[in-house]
Amino acid sequence: MLSQSTIDIVKSTAPLIAEAGPSMTAHFYDRMFKHHPELKDVFNLTHQDTGRQREALFNAVYGYAANIDNIEVLLPVVEKIAQKHTSFNITAAQYDIVGTHLLATIDELMSPGQAVLDAWAEAYGLLATIFINREEEIYQQNEQETGGWRGTREFKVIEKTPESNVITSFVFEPTDGQGVIGYKPGQYIGIYLNSDKLANQEIRQYSLSDAPNGKTYRISVKREDQGVASNHIHNEIQVGDTVQLAAPAGDFFFTSESDKPITLISAGVGLTPMLAILESIKDTHNANIHWLHATENTERHAFAKTVSDYAEQQENLTQQIWYKDQQGLMDLNEVNSIDWQATDFYLCGPVEFMQFIAKQLIEKQVPEANIHYECFGPHKVL
């Protein structure tokens, strides 16, 4: 437990963190990468360039400081970050590195004095311990379950299938011939990319896009215009190639009871975790299932026939599609037969899309507890 003086000091300096803004995290990352360039093989440098990772870290640091006297409030955020960290195989030693450069950043930018630095060191040490312990639990659980492993494991690409003009699916099976650990539909898997054509190792997380089968994993990757990893995957990875994968992870997954209506809402490649959910429950879910999807046009519409076939086969499954070049943006007022207050909603897509949908759901008085969502990349609150 933290001393009261530490709590008081950290809370009192939280406004300084807010005032420093993302410039503090920019300084932190620049400093850390200068002293530990090997960490460029761990961090997503694309998110560094766009500022998304720096914004996420700033929000996390400020959120911790502001709520340091009520750690329970932070536990959902801790779980989300811990799950993501396990797909990067983050170690306790790396927490030490982060702590060193975080404290140095506070000192260099704010010169708050030794008492403040000592308080932040104590506070960071507690938070790091919470993360390290939770991540070790996840590592051990993955290692001990049937088909599980710790670290990375070699897989071979056995299928490569275009799903639209921007999305391609890849199916992986382990080269050791053994089974694979299961996962909860909605979770993702970490893929490690190493090549002479890449400046650094690139680690990415992609949602698993089919139901667990104990033998293989499938991801469906969108080619991003400036995406270092996605373009490498599309252009360079072929059937027969091998890659290293981390075990499935993620705190977003299907949790609804079989007798509760659900609505799966997605845009673009955000349909991938929704498809995993749909394929996992379509034969056993007793209540109504609504599939609502938005995309640019027919050429970008992945898995269109797959979902249409399911809708024809399942009496309780209804789908509705919005093509931006024809119908415009998704308007939930155009959707019929949903009991808005009694339904669980699962969302995935660009943050702006999910914010747009969440606003509509709130206007329809959907309980906040019934709205579940996943952000690709650094997390944001809707």
Side-chain angles (χ1 to χ4, degrees):
M1 296 295 294
L2 298 175
S3 66
Q4 188 60 49
S5 62
T6 291
I7 292 173
D8 292 341
I9 289 173
V10 172
K11 283 186 72 71
S12 69
T13 53
L16 295 178
I17 300 296
E19 184 179 342
S23 64
M24 184 195 78
T25 48
H27 183 92
F28 161 77
Y29 278 117
D30 291 342
R31 191 183 202 285
M32 184 175 67
F33 287 144
K34 178 180 179 181
H35 288 82
H36 294 275
E38 73 278 5
L39 293 181
K40 292 182 179 181
D41 287 336
V42 177
F43 286 82
N44 185 331
L45 297 185
T46 299
H47 288 162
Q48 293 292 321
D49 293 339
T50 63
R52 294 173 66 191
Q53 187 65 58
R54 298 180 178 194
E55 179 186 358
L57 178 62
F58 166 74
N59 290 337
V61 171
Y62 176 72
Y64 178 51
N67 294 281
I68 195 169
D69 53 349
N70 187 14
I71 299 296
E72 295 293 321
V73 173
L74 301 175
L75 291 183
V77 177
V78 168
E79 181 64 17
K80 182 177 295 292
I81 296 173
Q83 290 283 339
K84 182 66 70 70
H85 281 181
T86 61
S87 70
F88 286 101
N89 284 293
I90 297 299
T91 66
Q94 289 167 335
Y95 277 99
D96 291 339
I97 293 172
V98 168
T100 295
H101 293 282
L102 177 62
L103 292 173
T105 295
I106 293 173
D107 187 27
E108 291 167 0
L109 293 187
M110 303 174 189
S111 302
Q114 194 59 46
V116 171
L117 292 176
D118 290 345
W120 271 90
E122 183 183 354
Y124 175 81
L126 173 62
L127 184 62
T129 298
I130 292 172
F131 274 112
I132 291 167
N133 290 343
R134 176 57 187 139
E135 288 160 21
E136 181 60 26
E137 289 177 353
I138 298 171
Y139 289 137
Q140 290 187 17
Q141 182 180 2
N142 288 339
E143 189 175 22
Q144 293 166 6
E145 287 195 22
T146 301
W149 70 97
R150 186 184 186 116
T152 60
R153 183 177 174 188
E154 187 177 72
F155 282 72
K156 181 172 67 175
V157 179
I158 61 171
E159 295 179 26
K160 180 178 181 180
T161 307
E163 308 291 358
S164 75
N165 65 355
V166 291
I167 297 174
T168 295
S169 289
F170 297 81
V171 177
F172 306 100
E173 69 174 9
T175 58
D176 60 18
Q178 303 299 309
V180 298
I181 189 174
Y183 56 90
K184 299 172 183 176
Q187 291 187 305
Y188 51 77
I189 200 163
I191 181 170
Y192 288 58
L193 306 173
N194 288 279
S195 169
D196 292 340
K197 298 182 178 180
L198 297 172
N200 300 99
Q201 173 178 261
E202 299 287 347
I203 307 173
R204 295 292 187 274
Q205 292 78 33
Y206 292 105
S207 295
L208 292 149
S209 61
D210 60 354
N213 59 33
K215 299 177 181 178
T216 61
Y217 295 125
R218 183 180 74 185
I219 60 174
S220 303
V221 180
K222 178 187 176 185
R223 182 196 295 273
E224 302 289 352
D225 290 341
Q226 304 299 319
V228 173
S230 67
N231 277 285
H232 180 82
I233 290 172
H234 275 253
N235 296 338
E236 305 298 333
I237 296 183
Q238 308 298 334
V239 171
D241 290 345
T242 59
V243 296
Q244 297 290 324
L245 300 181
D251 71 327
F252 171 80
F253 45 81
F254 185 73
T255 59
S256 303
E257 299 294 332
S258 64
D259 59 352
K260 187 166 188 179
I262 65 165
T263 298
L264 307 175
I265 304 178
S266 60
V269 76
L271 58 67
T272 51
M274 302 302 158
L275 188 61
I277 292 173
L278 180 62
E279 293 192 342
S280 298
I281 68 168
K282 62 184 178 61
D283 296 323
T284 58
H285 201 75
N286 299 321
N288 288 334
I289 304 171
H290 281 81
W291 174 277
L292 310 180
H293 180 62
T295 189
E296 293 291 329
N297 48 51
T298 56
E299 288 74 24
R300 291 204 170 202
H301 188 180
F303 297 102
K305 185 177 187 306
T306 298
V307 177
S308 292
D309 288 346
Y310 291 156
E312 290 181 6
Q313 298 161 7
Q314 310 290 140
E315 292 184 0
N316 64 331
L317 173 59
T318 302
Q319 72 158 334
Q320 197 160 338
I321 307 299
W322 284 260
Y323 295 129
K324 189 175 181 180
D325 64 353
Q326 298 177 21
Q327 293 98 332
L329 302 178
M330 182 182 292
D331 184 354
L332 298 185
N333 290 319
E334 299 174 3
V335 182
N336 298 318
S337 69
I338 291 182
D339 185 339
W340 299 99
Q341 285 73 51
T343 298
D344 277 346
F345 295 87
Y346 294 83
L347 285 63
C348 191
V351 170
E352 296 78 7
F353 166 80
M354 291 196 294
Q355 290 172 334
F356 177 65
I357 296 301
K359 182 175 183 293
Q360 295 184 59
L361 293 175
I362 292 170
E363 290 173 350
K364 293 184 177 297
Q365 299 182 329
V366 173
E368 184 178 343
N370 290 9
I371 303 175
H372 315 272
Y373 64 97
E374 173 78 329
C375 291
F376 291 160
H379 182 71
K380 284 195 175 184
V381 176
L382 300 188

